[in-house]
Amino acid sequence: MIARGERKLSLKGDVIIVEDDDLLCNLMIEILSDIGVGCIAFGTADDALIYLLQSHRACTMVIADHSVPWQISGSDLAKMVKEKWPDIAVILTSGHELNASKLPPKVWFLQKPWAVDSLVSTVDGLLNPSS
């Protein structure tokens, strides 16, 4: 497991964060920036999906809160991402327990409140599976 600031990840794209809690969103951006991850944040899954469909920038991971507001939930976004872009790693977060059998295939679940080390090790493990 890597500690904050101990190791930098080199990625070929950004991590998209979908979180409607500004404090938590900013915390994730700070944590991931500390390990060298570029982040783009959205308050709704709808906005994140539009960005993914229209952007020509590479995306390596999506971290989405299960219950963000608007029309598309974080779970819906996770499913759409895995169907259209199967190589993009996806982490779904929630303050509620989610049934693992209801998660889209190859989507990781991170229970809130998560520890900083849990977020970092999950991101690192998905983006660097051989390390």
Side-chain angles (χ1 to χ4, degrees):
M1 180 160 63
I2 63 175
R4 233 174 120 181
E6 180 180 313
R7 178 172 162 197
K8 300 284 186 186
L9 299 177
S10 59
L11 306 177
K12 295 180 181 175
D14 295 315
V15 170
I16 291 178
I17 297 172
V18 182
E19 175 60 62
D20 61 323
D21 180 319
D22 289 339
L23 185 63
L24 189 53
C25 184
N26 289 331
L27 177 62
M28 282 194 280
I29 291 169
E30 181 182 336
I31 292 166
L32 295 177
S33 294
D34 280 355
I35 60 170
V37 176
C39 300
I40 301 171
F42 298 93
T44 71
D46 300 68
D47 290 338
L49 180 60
I50 290 167
Y51 174 83
L52 281 165
L53 291 169
Q54 294 178 348
S55 177
H56 297 290
R57 290 181 59 130
C59 173
T60 58
M61 176 179 282
V62 172
I63 302 173
D65 180 21
H66 166 70
S67 58
V68 287
W70 211 245
Q71 294 185 7
I72 302 173
S73 71
S75 295
D76 292 338
L77 178 65
K79 182 179 178 187
M80 290 179 212
V81 167
K82 291 314 283 183
E83 287 173 357
K84 184 156 180 65
W85 302 283
D87 292 337
I88 294 177
V90 178
I91 298 172
L92 193 62
T93 66
S94 179
H96 306 283
E97 286 196 33
L98 298 179
N99 185 335
S101 67
K102 304 252 185 213
L103 292 176
K106 297 186 180 180
V107 171
W108 289 84
F109 177 67
L110 194 57
Q111 179 78 39
K112 290 179 183 177
W114 37 259
V116 170
D117 289 343
S118 295
L119 175 65
V120 170
S121 63
T122 302
V123 168
D124 184 51
L126 288 172
L127 298 178
N128 297 304
S130 61
S131 62

